[in-house]
Amino acid sequence: MGKSNKSIYKFTQLLEEYKYYYTQKVFSLVAKNTTLTYHKILCDSALFFDETLNILNRCHKANANDKIFNSFYSLSLVLESAEFSDRENFDIVFYFVKRNLDIGMFQDHSSKNIIINTKKYKKITILCQRMGKENVDDFIHFVYEKHRSGEKMNSMEKAVFELSFGHKDYFDGVVKFTRIIYKNYFSKIDSYNKEDIDIIVDALQGLDVTDFICSSIKRYLYTQLEERSMKSREKEEVVLRFQDVPSKKEKIRTTITNKEYRDILKEVEEFVHFSTLKLKQHHLSLELQNQIAGQLLVLGKSQDDVRKFIANCNPFHTCKDKDSLCIELDQVIQYYKDNYNKYIYYKEAYALEGFLDSINIYIELLEDEYETEWLTIQIQIYHIIKEMESFIPKNYEYELEMAEKQKNKILIRRYNNE
């Protein structure tokens, strides 16, 4: 079952519970002869649940004989009461928008798909009975066609039309806003942008979706847009990595000799315990860290092993005492400069630009006449770096990319030295 289907299933179960509860309430209030207003509210709610469940429980696909769903306000109130996730709110609201599209509401025969206002359907039925009209849906279709053609309607026909559509232009409004959603979302699911999202939300408000649910859907669409952007960046990075493949003259050898293995291992073990990948000294420069990470790959260590080594090199990931400094204050500037390219790599994906601008301003202050404020400025820079490090995921994507490049350099150099 897909995520969207799970959301619809969860919503259907909720409506079944609500329908039972409200139906019992109606029976209870009738017995107690409670106020008519409250009784009507409960009846209207029960009718909404019943009509919506009829749509959800149909086995067949939407077709031209189905009714257009228009109770988006009532739908929103139910969703608000249920406290669904942003994804679930989106799935459920757009299920009904998509269903209206599947009916073919933009086509010429869309007048057959009359919007039935479930709250007033009983009144329409009574009016039709008074006029001797047996088929209510056909008569609603008849008065709608009169409206479209501009033909004059009698008082009873006008009453049926008003009850069916709320007001004269309601149906045209539903078509208009659904068309906007189709144009800015369904026709470009993989390419909609921030401007499209704003237009979609405005259209949802036109369909009477509440502000709360509109905000929820907007958050979800922005999340999806960001995920799509990240995937696009990853593809671009793959292309760039392919561009880094050595030329024919720079051939990469996939194996090394026993002597080369021992030499590289000796270099690594000067700084790292090869079996545990723990550091033998407190801190490694980023350049040395990248070199050793590449050497570990050459020696046959897996990427997970290299991630473990990189984690051991990051003082913000190994610092166990939250109240203590992860690096000495006199090393803060150098740590920032060592890791600057890493921060640039993650800048757009994790919104680091503001942090980087602040640090650069502080460094300028240090280089000017503010040396007396050295300690205060160093502390400020330290906290900004610490916050940036907390945003960057611990999959070490940048460091692994550098390690792969370093590995290739090592193997190319050894091949050319043969």
Side-chain angles (χ1 to χ4, degrees):
M1 185 183 290
K3 288 184 178 179
S4 177
N5 289 338
K6 286 181 179 178
S7 301
I8 300 303
Y9 175 78
K10 186 175 178 181
F11 179 61
T12 304
Q13 296 297 107
L14 178 73
L15 286 186
E16 294 282 6
E17 293 175 13
Y18 278 13
K19 178 186 174 183
Y20 176 80
Y21 171 79
Y22 277 84
T23 303
Q24 295 302 313
K25 274 283 187 182
V26 169
F27 289 146
S28 173
L29 291 174
V30 169
K32 294 178 181 178
N33 196 23
T34 315
T35 60
L36 183 62
T37 303
Y38 188 40
H39 177 259
K40 182 180 181 298
I41 292 171
L42 288 173
C43 283
D44 288 343
S45 299
L47 195 58
F48 164 76
F49 299 140
D50 192 52
E51 182 71 16
T52 308
L53 282 167
N54 283 340
I55 294 173
L56 292 169
N57 290 328
R58 283 179 190 143
C59 297
H60 65 77
K61 293 183 179 180
N63 60 56
N65 295 319
D66 288 335
K67 300 296 182 290
I68 291 173
F69 181 84
N70 73 306
S71 302
F72 286 98
Y73 180 73
S74 297
L75 174 65
S76 299
L77 295 181
V78 173
L79 294 179
E80 288 185 24
S81 71
E83 298 183 353
F84 283 147
S85 68
D86 292 341
R87 169 63 192 257
E88 289 167 335
N89 286 332
F90 168 84
D91 286 342
I92 294 162
V93 171
F94 273 65
Y95 168 86
F96 289 100
V97 175
K98 179 66 164 59
R99 182 186 167 281
N100 285 348
L101 288 168
D102 291 341
I103 287 170
M105 66 188 303
F106 300 153
Q107 300 173 19
D108 291 338
H109 64 269
S110 61
S111 58
K112 296 176 184 178
N113 313 311
I114 299 305
I115 300 174
I116 301 298
N117 190 319
T118 54
K119 294 181 179 180
K120 300 175 181 177
Y121 192 81
K122 287 185 177 180
K123 289 183 179 180
I124 298 170
T125 303
I126 293 170
L127 286 173
C128 287
Q129 288 172 351
R130 288 179 184 174
M131 290 184 285
K133 308 297 182 183
E134 295 181 1
N135 192 312
V136 177
D137 291 347
D138 283 349
F139 188 69
I140 294 173
H141 168 65
F142 169 75
V143 296
Y144 173 73
E145 288 300 320
K146 269 196 165 185
H147 159 67
R148 283 189 64 180
S149 64
E151 189 178 340
K152 190 175 180 180
M153 290 184 274
N154 62 39
S155 58
M156 297 289 273
E157 290 169 344
K158 284 181 180 178
V160 169
F161 185 86
E162 292 295 324
L163 286 168
S164 299
F165 302 106
H167 59 82
K168 188 174 168 182
D169 301 319
Y170 186 79
F171 179 74
D172 295 335
V174 172
V175 173
K176 172 189 172 184
F177 294 123
T178 306
R179 190 188 296 276
I180 290 171
I181 294 172
Y182 171 79
K183 179 182 177 183
N184 292 277
Y185 178 75
F186 289 104
S187 69
K188 54 196 309 188
I189 288 179
D190 296 324
S191 59
Y192 66 83
N193 55 34
K194 291 182 179 180
E195 184 179 345
D196 289 316
I197 293 174
D198 291 337
I199 294 171
I200 291 165
V201 171
D202 287 343
L204 289 172
Q205 289 174 334
L207 292 175
D208 286 336
V209 177
T210 61
D211 290 342
F212 181 87
I213 298 300
C214 281
S215 298
S216 174
I217 291 172
K218 186 174 184 178
R219 282 195 302 271
Y220 173 74
L221 289 172
Y222 268 108
T223 301
Q224 292 300 101
L225 182 63
E226 178 59 28
E227 288 181 5
R228 177 164 27 101
S229 299
M230 287 181 66
K231 287 179 181 177
S232 177
R233 285 195 294 271
E234 287 172 3
K235 287 180 180 178
E236 290 174 2
E237 289 162 9
V238 169
V239 172
L240 290 173
R241 284 197 285 270
F242 274 118
Q243 291 174 353
D244 288 336
V245 172
S247 66
K248 291 182 179 179
K249 292 182 180 179
E250 296 179 328
K251 293 182 179 179
I252 296 178
R253 191 177 60 189
T254 56
T255 60
I256 55 176
T257 65
N258 289 338
K259 182 180 183 304
E260 288 170 335
Y261 183 94
R262 288 193 298 271
D263 289 345
I264 295 172
L265 180 60
K266 184 178 179 181
E267 291 176 16
V268 169
E269 288 194 319
E270 185 178 346
F271 304 99
V272 181
H273 296 282
F274 187 69
S275 57
T276 63
L277 299 176
K278 290 183 178 180
L279 305 185
K280 291 184 176 180
Q281 58 187 62
H282 181 64
H283 175 68
L284 300 180
S285 68
L286 190 64
E287 182 181 357
L288 183 55
Q289 173 190 313
N290 290 338
Q291 176 188 318
I292 294 173
Q295 289 174 321
L296 289 172
L297 289 174
V298 172
L299 295 175
K301 288 290 189 182
S302 68
Q303 287 201 343
D304 285 341
D305 289 330
V306 176
R307 283 193 184 92
K308 185 178 178 181
F309 161 71
I310 294 168
N312 290 335
C313 292
N314 190 315
F316 291 96
H317 295 170
T318 56
C319 185
K320 295 180 180 179
D321 187 352
K322 294 181 179 180
D323 296 326
S324 64
L325 292 173
C326 299
I327 52 177
E328 298 297 329
L329 287 179
D330 58 0
Q331 297 174 0
V332 166
I333 302 290
Q334 190 58 49
Y335 183 88
Y336 171 68
K337 290 179 178 179
D338 283 348
N339 288 271
Y340 182 75
N341 287 336
K342 178 180 77 173
Y343 298 139
I344 294 298
Y345 181 90
Y346 291 115
K347 180 176 73 172
E348 289 188 12
Y350 299 98
L352 303 182
E353 188 169 1
F355 296 113
L356 296 175
D357 288 344
S358 297
I359 291 176
N360 291 334
I361 290 171
Y362 279 127
I363 290 175
E364 287 180 9
L365 291 175
L366 281 176
E367 291 172 350
D368 293 336
E369 67 273 16
Y370 292 91
E371 291 186 7
T372 53
E373 302 294 327
W374 179 87
L375 183 60
T376 302
I377 292 174
Q378 294 283 68
I379 291 172
Q380 291 294 332
I381 294 173
Y382 168 82
H383 285 297
I384 295 172
I385 292 174
K386 186 176 182 180
E387 192 167 358
M388 278 198 299
E389 290 284 349
S390 70
F391 285 145
I392 298 172
K394 296 180 182 179
N395 58 5
Y396 304 109
E397 180 182 327
Y398 170 78
E399 291 88 340
L400 280 174
E401 190 171 306
M402 295 299 103
E404 286 289 346
K405 288 182 178 180
Q406 187 65 30
K407 169 190 169 184
N408 290 342
K409 285 181 182 179
I410 294 168
L411 293 175
I412 291 169
R413 186 168 62 247
R414 291 182 181 276
Y415 176 85
N416 291 333
N417 289 338
E418 286 183 343

